[in-house]
Amino acid sequence: SSRLYRALIESQLATSVDSQLTQSLDPGWYSLYLTVRNGVGSARAEEALLAELEKAKKEILTPRELQKAINQTRAHFVYANDKVSSRAFYLGYFETIGTYKLVESYVEQVRKVTAEDVRRVAEKYFNADNRTVGSLQPIAPQSGRLPENRDERKATSRKSLAGRSSENPTRTAITHTSSPAPRISRDI
């Protein structure tokens, strides 16, 4: 039901779309990954993805979209902290990007994010100068069929890239870097 889902999955351009935010004291990055549907060119799917990023820079999220994002972020964080080892990880992680005390205030800070904050941060970081795009394209075996087991896949992956096939899904990653990194305490 997200904008990316509607633009890429429901439109039959991709079979999956994911995102990941990497934060640190150094410049971080926000990555978007999609698996292009068979028969769809990766350039066409990339164009649709970039169009959605442009919309994020110009259009304010609806209250429902914002609340859904906040709820999902909160749920992910709460469930990720249900084990002692996960809690220790987050204490160490937050200490490396600011202070371990963020573990206690993270959810509250996420709740304070506004639709205008999202638009402003998208406008600041989603630009061509910060963008890296990569596509992974499978190699078609000379037999014309996809490898069925691990040994066959290993053998196929060692072959020349000259055998690329447009019949197989392409995995595309679009990463936006930031300088300085968007951090909850400052940008969001």
Side-chain angles (χ1 to χ4, degrees):
S1 64
S2 73
R3 291 179 183 198
L4 289 176
Y5 184 89
R6 289 189 310 267
L8 296 161
I9 307 299
E10 289 181 0
S11 70
Q12 302 293 305
L13 295 174
T15 58
S16 70
V17 60
D18 304 296
S19 66
Q20 176 183 351
L21 174 64
T22 303
Q23 300 178 42
S24 71
L25 286 176
D26 296 321
W29 59 89
Y30 181 71
S31 299
L32 295 148
Y33 305 94
L34 63 98
T35 302
V36 179
R37 185 172 293 283
N38 285 341
V40 174
S42 60
R44 185 172 159 211
E46 178 185 333
E47 184 178 298
L49 177 60
L50 293 175
E52 287 305 309
L53 296 181
E54 284 302 312
K55 286 181 187 177
K57 293 163 55 172
K58 296 176 176 124
E59 297 175 9
I60 299 289
L61 294 175
T62 67
R64 183 172 183 258
E65 289 174 316
L66 180 62
Q67 191 58 54
K68 180 179 176 184
I70 290 170
N71 292 346
Q72 287 178 335
T73 301
R74 179 185 172 276
H76 174 77
F77 184 73
V78 169
Y79 292 129
N81 275 290
D82 67 349
K83 296 179 185 168
V84 173
S85 60
S86 298
R87 184 78 168 170
F89 167 80
Y90 276 105
L91 285 168
Y93 172 74
F94 281 122
E95 183 62 23
T96 66
I97 65 167
T99 176
Y100 69 92
K101 294 175 184 177
L102 284 170
V103 166
E104 299 304 325
S105 64
Y106 179 78
V107 171
E108 188 54 40
Q109 288 189 47
V110 168
R111 282 187 183 134
K112 292 179 183 177
V113 172
T114 67
E116 176 54 30
D117 290 335
V118 174
R119 191 211 56 76
R120 178 181 48 79
V121 171
E123 184 175 30
K124 182 175 181 178
Y125 295 110
F126 290 169
N127 61 66
D129 291 338
N130 291 350
R131 184 178 307 134
T132 302
V133 178
S135 293
L136 303 174
Q137 298 183 358
I139 300 169
Q142 292 184 2
S143 68
R145 65 176 181 75
L146 293 175
E148 294 180 17
N149 60 50
R150 175 184 246 169
D151 292 333
E152 234 184 305
R153 283 191 297 273
K154 282 183 181 178
T156 301
S157 68
R158 292 186 195 112
K159 292 182 181 178
S160 164
L161 290 175
R164 254 189 242 144
S165 170
S166 62
E167 298 299 316
N168 301 320
T170 300
R171 182 80 169 160
T172 299
I174 296 180
T175 300
H176 285 271
T177 58
S178 58
S179 182
R183 289 191 282 167
I184 292 168
S185 60
R186 188 181 62 229
D187 286 334
I188 297 178

